Amino acid sequence: MVKWTFLLSFPLLFLAGKSPSPVPPTEWLTLEEAAERLKTEKRPVLIDLYTDWCGWCKVMDRKTYSHDLVSEYLRSHFYAVKVNAEVRNPIVWEGKTYGFNEQFKTHEFAIYLTGGQLAYPTTIILPPASREPQAMAGYMEPGQLEAFLKFFGEGHYGNVSFEAFKKTVLEDYRIALMSREVSLLGRREVLTGKAKFGIFGDGKEIPQVALA
C-alpha cells in the first residue's frame, strides 16, 4: 500500500463549470461487479472507503462524487466501488477472503487497503498493472481529486513521476487561469466602450482585442 499525503495543497481545477449536457450520477459497483468487468476491460479501480458515521464521507458524496465532471470522468476511466470499512460480511478480492477484525472493529479489507492507517473517507486506487493500493486519506474537493484521478486514469502511473505530472497540470491550470482573466478583462473593455470589439473563448486561446 502506498500512502499519498501531498495532494491537499495542490491547487487544481476540475473545474469551474458543469458538463454541457446532463451526466448520469457516478456508477457505483460492487467488488464482484468490478472484478467481472476487469476480465473484459482493464481499468483502475477506485474505492471509496467510508463508514456510516463518517460526516465527511457524506459531504464528499454530496459535493465531489455528485459533481458532473467527476462523475463523467469516473464513468469513462474507472470502475468505482464503495466499501464500508465496518461491514461484517466476508469480502473476496483476487482470490483472497477478508473478514471482520474484532480487535480493531474494522474489516480486514479496509486494513489491507490502507496499510492499517485508517481514516475516513479514504480514496484508494488499484492500478490495473500492479494492483498495489494507492491510498489518499481525507476529504477532497473535485479539484483536489482531479490530479489523483488523472494520474491513474490517463495511464501516467508507472510511466512518469507524479512530480513531473504535477508540473504539467499546474502549467495547464496557469494558462487556463490567465486566459480566463484576460478574457474577462477584454469583455469589460468592450462593454465599457474602451475597445471596439473582442474575440474571446474559453480555452487556451490568446484573446484578441481591438483597442479604440
Side-chain angles (χ1 to χ4, degrees):
M1 189 280 303
V2 176
K3 194 80 169 181
W4 298 62
T5 59
F6 47 81
L7 289 177
L8 291 180
S9 61
F10 187 18
L12 288 173
L13 188 72
F14 208 150
L15 284 341
K18 293 281 186 178
S19 176
S21 56
V23 175
T26 298
E27 181 184 18
W28 294 108
L29 307 173
T30 64
L31 282 167
E32 293 78 12
E33 289 170 335
E36 281 300 312
R37 294 196 187 187
L38 282 168
K39 293 177 182 178
T40 56
E41 183 183 354
K42 300 297 183 185
R43 289 187 184 185
V45 176
L46 177 143
I47 295 179
D48 174 33
L49 188 66
Y50 73 99
T51 65
D52 291 335
W53 49 262
C54 168
W56 283 110
C57 299
K58 295 178 176 64
V59 175
M60 194 162 172
D61 265 345
R62 188 172 66 251
K63 296 185 66 175
T64 302
Y65 289 122
S66 295
H67 192 287
D68 284 353
L69 296 177
V70 173
S71 173
E72 188 173 33
Y73 195 83
L74 286 174
R75 276 181 165 269
S76 59
H77 293 81
F78 289 84
Y79 298 129
V81 177
K82 278 188 172 294
V83 173
N84 187 333
E86 296 179 343
V87 70
R88 288 180 172 267
N89 57 292
I91 291 177
V92 179
W93 181 250
E94 295 193 327
K96 183 174 180 179
T97 301
Y98 299 83
F100 187 77
N101 188 308
E102 292 289 351
Q103 179 181 357
F104 295 104
K105 304 300 180 185
T106 305
H107 205 283
E108 290 173 352
F109 190 58
I111 296 172
Y112 158 69
L113 292 173
T114 63
Q117 301 179 51
L118 297 164
Y120 309 108
T122 290
T123 305
I124 299 109
I125 306 293
L126 302 177
S130 71
R131 299 285 175 82
E132 182 182 8
Q134 312 289 313
M136 177 62 192
Y139 168 77
M140 286 186 279
E141 295 279 349
Q144 293 170 322
L145 182 61
E146 180 183 12
F148 202 47
L149 293 184
K150 289 190 172 181
F151 186 63
F152 293 96
E154 296 175 8
H156 300 290
Y157 176 72
N159 296 313
V160 64
S161 71
F162 190 74
E163 288 302 314
F165 176 72
K166 278 201 301 183
K167 289 178 182 178
T168 300
V169 177
L170 285 173
E171 179 62 13
D172 285 348
Y173 175 82
R174 185 189 68 80
I175 293 171
L177 185 62
M178 182 182 298
S179 173
R180 175 176 170 78
E181 292 298 320
V182 174
S183 293
L184 291 174
L185 175 62
R187 290 188 181 96
R188 186 164 63 246
E189 294 294 286
V190 171
L191 289 173
T192 58
K194 295 180 181 179
K196 294 295 186 183
F197 67 89
I199 302 173
F200 309 106
D202 57 3
K204 299 174 185 176
E205 78 293 334
I206 300 175
Q208 303 173 44
V209 180
L211 298 178

